[in-house]
Amino acid sequence: MLLLHTACVKDSLDGPIPDPDTDGGTPDPEVPIDELEITELKIPSGFEFKTEKEVQLIINDNTSGVKYDVYAYNDQVLTGEQISYLNEENEEETGVEISVDNLNHLILSGMPSGGKIEHTFVVPEYFEKLYIRRKEGFTYTSAVVNITGTVVTYNHSSQSGKGASSAKPMVEDYLYCVNGSGEMFQIDPLTGGYTFISDMPMGSWTAAIDQENKVLYSIGRSKPNPLMKYDMVNDSWTTVGNLNIGGPRLDYNANDGLLYFSTGSRLYTIDPQNANILSNWDIIGLHKKNGGDLAFAEDGTIFLCSFSGLYRLDLNANGDYDATRISGEDLPFEPTSMTFDSNQELWLANNGGSSNLIVMDTQTGGWEYRYGPNSTSGVSFNRTINDLTTFRVFDEVTVDPDTDGDGITDSNDAFPEEADKAFEQFTPSKYGWGTVAFEDLWPFLGDYDFNDTTVNYRFVAILNADNMAVQLDIHFEVTSDGAALINAFGIELESISPSLVESVTGTVLTEGYINVAANGLEQGQNRAVVILFDNNETMLNVPTTVSIKFTTPITTAQLGIAPFNPFLIVAKDRTREIHLPNRFRTTLGVNDTSVEGVNQDIDGNYQTDSGLPWAINIVHNFKPPKESTPINQAYNFFNQWATSGGNSYQDWYKDSTGYRNESELKD
């Protein structure tokens, strides 16, 4: 151990930690918290440097065939630097960059089994809400619920059904909306109910639906203006091709299967199969040529709105379109979008940070605010609606096969051709990364740059139709190797016996000191232990996936909370494990207190007497400091977070304005 210590002396801040209760050990009380050395911090007793909190979610819903998506939700909007962008008139403008940290955090998907979904997961401490989206057929509803304790319960209560005439099949309309911020959401025109559906590949001013094929098209707002295609059944986006022309108006013509697109005083047709522009016409008579939308009425008439109001387009003898204004000249709003519902009622939205939904008569041009800040409905969306389109849900049986026969239809099944798999649960989220970062000189002090071995992770629990775990996929990448030692990294599934694991695949073991059983687990362990790799140097910047298959489905409660019990094996010494604070070492780990030097962890709880850890789990993509730069010098609010016991600056690790010293972070 002495040799190991001296080999890494370049990283050491070793020495007795000043006792704040003895003379000479207390820092000058006038020294601000943010200027204290990391070893001078007064860490509250019991604080384990956790950046996450556990939440148990219980959803009660006895309806068959409904699917839930659950997101960690934070409605805070942050402003950043000035940026350039194209507005609805296809002109370049400058504005302030807006960023949100809300609906990017999909945690789990599932359908009630026995009328219930029950999962436990972690969310970053600063999240205070969950966004719960319910999908029944093509109808979406949603709720934002507060995280007020460790258990969140959501009970679905059926809403009163929409009325239908007995003279014709029942049809329900839903307004699909997009905006330049890349949000796609659905609005119920009867209630104004708003539900987020998807993040778009690029923000857009346009949306149009091919009703028969259940596809939504949208054109990206910026060069090269891709034609984007959203599969409404499978909830997926693809790019058809680049148009290299942008504008605000789009609709789908079911009579010829083409997209009709307009910008300025021009009208184009686009082949939705390949993004080819097929034809174009001039539009004569628009008073203002910017903004707006176009829509086909039931009889095939083209209506167009611009910022000067509503027009009807008629083909003239010269092969151009004449625009006849229907609305009055004194229209007090600038329309950005419009669509016809199944009753041929025309809906428009106006330009603004919080758009209004407006209903207009196509004969007289009369209108009223239906929803939004200018209405009397009390419903506001607090977001821009840059385009509208209508999706009609008919009261008839929709063919949605169940290819694998697991009881989950293909549109709701993440694995439609595998009967033992149906849903996924993500840690930290579907697209996010978490990080475990280590100081590897335990039980001696290091330099607290937390870059000796840093591992990014995303855990995906694959669930069957009964929401039981059948497989665990671990996506990971070593993002920093600041150590002079060769280290290994593993996880222990603390509630799983080795006999419950059928196989482990994808591990990278090259050094010859990890003994592996036939099923891929480490031998000699009382619980399931997987060593993902045994040489951090060779794994730097190498994305890797390890898959663990279980012999029988297990509950997510038994599986436990990712990242489970992660640990580092230092310098090929299998007995020398470093864990998160107060986590147990594995069967093969040893706490040898008879080391040469100043042992800062006599009790073996992986915290110094003053409370500093050797490992930290950050439920976010963490950028480690440069070599020998303590974490509190790279992250400006680490000290406040640590000394408050995690109550202040719970998001200290984020790339928010003023939070990080970029010059002190590794590239």
Side-chain angles (χ1 to χ4, degrees):
M1 296 293 286
L2 177 61
L3 291 175
L4 295 177
H5 174 50
T6 55
C8 294
V9 70
K10 68 181 182 66
D11 288 335
S12 179
L13 295 175
D14 204 8
I17 299 177
D19 185 346
D21 296 324
T22 61
D23 292 341
T26 303
D28 187 336
E30 296 183 0
V31 176
I33 289 178
D34 59 349
E35 295 180 11
L36 293 176
E37 299 294 335
I38 195 167
T39 53
E40 297 174 331
L41 300 180
K42 293 183 179 180
I43 309 300
S45 176
F47 180 55
E48 297 179 342
F49 288 80
K50 287 185 176 181
T51 62
E52 75 281 5
K53 58 187 173 188
E54 293 186 12
V55 177
Q56 180 187 9
L57 173 66
I58 301 172
I59 297 175
N60 294 309
D61 190 339
N62 288 313
T63 313
S64 62
V66 298
K67 182 184 179 184
Y68 281 88
D69 295 310
V70 179
Y71 302 78
Y73 184 74
N74 182 3
D75 52 12
Q76 182 181 13
V77 178
L78 302 175
T79 57
E81 299 178 353
Q82 281 202 336
I83 58 172
S84 297
Y85 63 95
L86 295 177
N87 64 17
E88 281 214 39
E89 301 87 79
N90 206 34
E91 300 169 342
E92 185 171 295
E93 289 187 1
T94 59
V96 178
E97 186 178 40
I98 299 295
S99 62
V100 295
D101 189 13
N102 46 26
L103 298 175
N104 297 316
H105 297 269
L106 177 63
I107 298 171
L108 64 91
S109 299
M111 300 179 73
S113 177
K116 178 177 290 188
I117 297 176
E118 185 171 351
H119 289 299
T120 301
F121 47 83
V122 294
V123 296
E125 278 280 3
Y126 65 89
F127 279 103
E128 298 178 350
K129 302 176 183 179
L130 295 177
Y131 184 92
I132 300 176
R133 184 179 72 178
R134 182 180 186 271
K135 176 176 178 281
E136 184 174 0
F138 290 98
T139 303
Y140 293 89
T141 55
S142 64
V144 175
V145 297
N146 292 323
I147 302 173
T148 56
T150 58
V151 179
V152 175
T153 302
Y154 175 76
N155 298 312
H156 172 72
S157 57
S158 298
Q159 304 294 321
S160 57
K162 296 187 177 185
S165 168
S166 59
K168 64 177 182 178
M170 178 179 175
V171 58
E172 299 180 21
D173 293 328
Y174 291 93
L175 305 178
Y176 276 65
C177 311
V178 302
N179 59 28
S181 298
E183 298 177 311
M184 184 172 73
F185 46 99
Q186 183 188 87
I187 294 174
D188 185 337
L190 293 188
T191 66
Y194 155 86
T195 301
F196 167 84
I197 296 178
S198 176
D199 289 312
M200 306 176 69
M202 179 187 289
S204 177
W205 316 130
T206 58
I209 286 180
D210 174 354
Q211 176 76 38
E212 182 176 353
N213 293 303
K214 298 178 177 60
V215 171
L216 181 144
Y217 293 97
S218 186
I219 299 170
R221 75 176 197 179
S222 303
K223 294 292 185 181
N225 306 107
L227 176 62
M228 303 174 291
K229 175 181 176 181
Y230 175 72
D231 185 329
M232 301 172 72
V233 174
N234 296 311
D235 190 23
S236 61
W237 286 94
T238 56
T239 297
V240 179
N242 294 324
L243 291 173
N244 291 302
I245 182 173
R249 312 175 196 127
L250 186 70
D251 200 13
Y252 179 82
N253 187 356
N255 294 322
D256 59 17
L258 298 177
L259 292 167
Y260 282 66
F261 167 68
S262 176
T263 183
S265 58
R266 299 278 281 181
L267 177 66
Y268 305 86
T269 55
I270 299 171
D271 186 340
Q273 303 303 312
N274 51 31
N276 289 337
I277 298 175
L278 303 179
S279 54
N280 63 85
W281 300 267
D282 289 326
I283 302 172
I284 311 299
L286 293 179
H287 298 80
K288 290 184 180 179
K289 300 177 182 179
N290 53 324
D293 197 9
L294 64 86
F296 284 89
E298 193 171 41
D299 62 2
T301 301
I302 304 176
F303 287 87
L304 181 148
C305 65
S306 72
F307 280 171
S308 54
L310 178 67
Y311 298 81
R312 186 188 69 248
L313 300 187
D314 299 294
L315 197 62
N316 63 27
N318 297 322
D320 299 321
Y321 276 96
D322 289 328
T324 302
R325 183 155 61 179
I326 296 171
S327 60
E329 297 181 9
D330 57 349
L331 205 62
F333 57 84
E334 295 180 326
T336 60
S337 48
M338 67 178 183
T339 185
F340 285 97
D341 64 18
S342 59
N343 295 316
Q344 291 304 291
E345 192 169 47
L346 184 65
W347 292 78
L348 299 94
N350 72 312
N351 196 29
S354 180
S355 292
N356 293 283
L357 277 181
I358 302 151
V359 174
M360 179 176 285
D361 183 85
T362 58
Q363 299 299 315
T364 66
W367 57 272
E368 67 174 26
Y369 291 114
R370 186 66 56 88
Y371 302 112
N374 290 354
S375 73
T376 60
S377 66
V379 175
S380 290
F381 309 111
N382 300 314
R383 54 192 17 87
T384 300
I385 299 174
N386 289 112
D387 206 3
L388 286 169
T389 186
T390 302
F391 182 63
R392 300 164 186 174
V393 180
F394 294 92
D395 187 16
E396 57 189 28
V397 177
T398 301
V399 177
D400 189 1
D402 178 12
T403 301
D404 56 19
D406 62 356
I408 308 299
T409 58
D410 288 2
S411 67
N412 294 317
D413 197 332
F415 305 90
E417 297 182 354
E418 299 179 71
D420 64 333
K421 302 175 182 178
F423 308 117
E424 295 171 303
Q425 178 176 325
F426 305 94
T427 304
S429 64
K430 185 173 183 177
Y431 303 109
W433 293 95
T435 306
V436 184
F438 293 92
E439 283 289 304
D440 67 0
L441 288 182
W442 176 88
F444 312 107
L445 286 184
D447 55 6
Y448 281 96
D449 55 19
F450 282 104
N451 69 18
D452 294 344
T453 302
T454 304
V455 182
N456 274 15
Y457 64 79
R458 179 186 300 130
F459 289 83
V460 183
I462 299 174
L463 315 178
N464 64 15
D466 295 321
N467 298 311
M468 304 274 281
V470 298
Q471 182 173 317
L472 178 67
D473 288 344
I474 309 169
H475 305 275
F476 69 92
E477 181 177 351
V478 176
T479 57
S480 178
D481 169 31
L485 307 173
I486 294 177
N487 300 325
F489 177 73
I491 63 164
E492 179 184 49
L493 304 176
E494 296 163 292
S495 300
I496 305 297
S497 69
S499 62
L500 285 177
V501 174
E502 176 183 308
S503 65
V504 178
T505 57
T507 58
V508 183
L509 305 175
T510 60
E511 303 304 303
Y513 69 97
I514 302 297
N515 298 314
V516 178
N519 63 356
L521 294 176
E522 187 177 26
Q523 286 183 335
Q525 297 281 9
N526 294 335
R527 294 174 291 273
V529 173
V530 179
I531 307 302
L532 280 68
F533 59 84
D534 59 6
N535 188 333
N536 53 329
E537 294 179 354
T538 62
M539 298 301 294
L540 185 63
N541 300 323
V542 180
T544 309
T545 300
V546 168
S547 293
I548 304 171
K549 292 184 178 181
F550 303 111
T551 56
T552 186
I554 60 176
T555 65
T556 55
Q558 182 177 4
L559 177 60
I561 305 297
F564 309 103
N565 184 11
F567 62 96
L568 202 69
I569 302 171
V570 181
K572 299 187 182 182
D573 180 352
R574 183 58 195 85
T575 67
R576 191 179 177 204
E577 297 178 357
I578 300 177
H579 290 254
L580 295 169
N582 290 310
R583 301 303 290 270
F584 293 111
R585 58 186 49 80
T586 74
T587 307
L588 301 181
V590 175
N591 182 27
D592 185 359
T593 60
S594 61
V595 298
E596 296 289 339
V598 180
N599 187 336
Q600 302 286 357
D601 190 23
I602 295 294
D603 56 5
N605 69 345
Y606 296 104
Q607 285 187 277
T608 67
D609 288 342
S610 68
L612 294 176
W614 279 270
I616 187 170
N617 174 45
I618 301 166
V619 194
H620 196 273
N621 186 2
F622 174 68
K623 193 172 183 180
K626 289 181 176 179
E627 189 60 47
S628 300
T629 299
I631 190 172
N632 63 332
Q633 293 182 19
Y635 289 87
N636 293 327
F637 300 113
F638 179 89
N639 284 4
Q640 288 88 333
W641 172 70
T643 56
S644 71
N647 292 318
S648 299
Y649 292 98
Q650 294 176 336
D651 60 348
W652 60 269
Y653 45 81
K654 290 175 60 179
D655 187 17
S656 299
T657 303
Y659 274 40
R660 310 196 313 193
N661 293 322
E662 295 293 337
S663 63
E664 299 296 340
L665 298 176
K666 298 188 74 170
D667 295 332

